Amino acid sequence: MAVPKRKTSSSKKNKRRTHKKLIAPNMTECPNCGEMKRNHHICPECGYYGGEKVMGE
């Protein structure tokens, strides 16, 4: 059975876990209504994407 010979240091452990973190999604201002929306997504407030109405009436 494989057993570590030495205790893993906290710096080694933290270097291994650098990619395990929460990141906030990139947000931009909607050019149509001015509300914040995610990049490359339809604006949830007005339904516009790329200057065209794509959702709602």
Side-chain angles (χ1 to χ4, degrees):
M1 192 170 164
V3 178
K5 201 168 244 189
R6 298 225 179 260
K7 177 182 176 181
T8 305
S9 68
S10 59
S11 64
K12 183 77 169 177
K13 181 172 55 180
N14 292 339
K15 286 177 188 176
R16 186 175 65 241
R17 294 176 179 172
T18 58
H19 66 283
K20 294 186 178 184
K21 58 185 175 247
L22 292 174
I23 54 171
N26 291 330
M27 304 290 276
T28 56
E29 189 176 304
C30 175
N32 189 51
C33 66
E35 291 291 323
M36 295 303 283
K37 69 173 194 75
R38 292 186 63 189
N39 292 347
H40 306 287
H41 284 71
I42 298 169
C43 178
E45 301 297 322
C46 63
Y48 273 74
Y49 181 77
E52 295 181 18
K53 184 86 167 168
V54 291
M55 188 175 76
E57 295 298 322

